[in-house]
Amino acid sequence: MFNKEKFLALCNEWSKNTLMETLEIEYIDAGEDFLKAKMPVNSRVHQPMGLLHGGATVALAESVGSAASLMFINPEKQEVRGIEISANHLRSKREGTVYCTAKIIHKGASIHLWEIRIVDENDKLISLCKLSNMVLSRRER
């Protein structure tokens, strides 16, 4: 059975000392087919014009979509790799918070396909992304 609190704690713990920590991404909600996180929009994630950088937006989407695939694998025997991501940036954002929700579209044995919506505090769509993850057997390190 899916344990939301345990899964969120795992995602937030694994983010320490990574790009996710640098971008201040925090995982805040999860369900059987989705994962949600938030990220502050400030100078840390701005491009030179003072707007949310598309690369930071894509990093948020890939982080959440990749972490979401962990729900469907055995992390002791398998690992996930993002193999393709696309993003449509529809609205700009200067400050505040964005919320990112990854929902599973296809859950295969070796490929997971995620739709990832990034919205502002008023639920206005900022970016719409699609992420494909490959599920691999874990190798000895």
Side-chain angles (χ1 to χ4, degrees):
M1 181 171 203
F2 180 71
N3 183 322
K4 176 172 112 171
E5 288 75 23
K6 185 177 178 181
F7 185 68
L8 290 172
L10 173 71
C11 289
N12 284 311
E13 180 64 29
W14 280 10
S15 293
K16 291 182 179 174
N17 299 313
T18 68
L19 178 64
M20 286 76 77
E21 184 176 63
T22 300
L23 297 178
E24 299 180 79
I25 295 170
E26 179 186 355
Y27 296 92
I28 58 172
D29 197 11
E32 304 235 345
D33 67 346
F34 77 94
L35 179 60
K36 183 174 183 177
K38 66 179 182 175
M39 180 179 78
V41 178
N42 52 40
S43 61
R44 200 179 273 222
V45 296
H46 281 167
Q47 42 91 310
M49 300 302 293
L51 301 171
L52 175 60
H53 194 292
T57 303
V58 171
L60 171 63
E62 186 161 0
S63 298
V64 177
S66 293
S69 276
L70 295 174
M71 288 190 270
F72 304 122
I73 68 165
N74 177 346
E76 293 177 9
K77 296 182 178 182
Q78 298 170 300
E79 46 192 31
V80 174
R81 296 284 185 277
I83 58 172
E84 182 179 8
I85 189 163
S86 65
N88 292 94
H89 305 303
L90 306 169
R91 189 174 269 112
S92 60
K93 180 101 175 121
R94 288 189 183 276
E95 60 186 18
T97 303
V98 288
Y99 297 87
C100 178
T101 304
K103 284 192 157 187
I104 192 78
I105 295 172
H106 172 76
K107 180 179 65 172
S110 60
I111 298 286
H112 297 166
L113 179 62
W114 294 92
E115 177 186 76
I116 303 165
R117 298 174 61 86
I118 298 171
V119 301
D120 68 9
E121 302 91 340
N122 299 311
D123 206 34
K124 290 194 176 188
L125 189 61
I126 303 296
S127 295
L128 181 62
C129 305
K130 184 178 75 173
L131 173 67
S132 298
N133 288 330
M134 179 185 296
V135 179
L136 301 170
S137 295
R138 195 181 253 310
R139 295 186 177 145
E140 293 293 322
R141 294 179 187 198

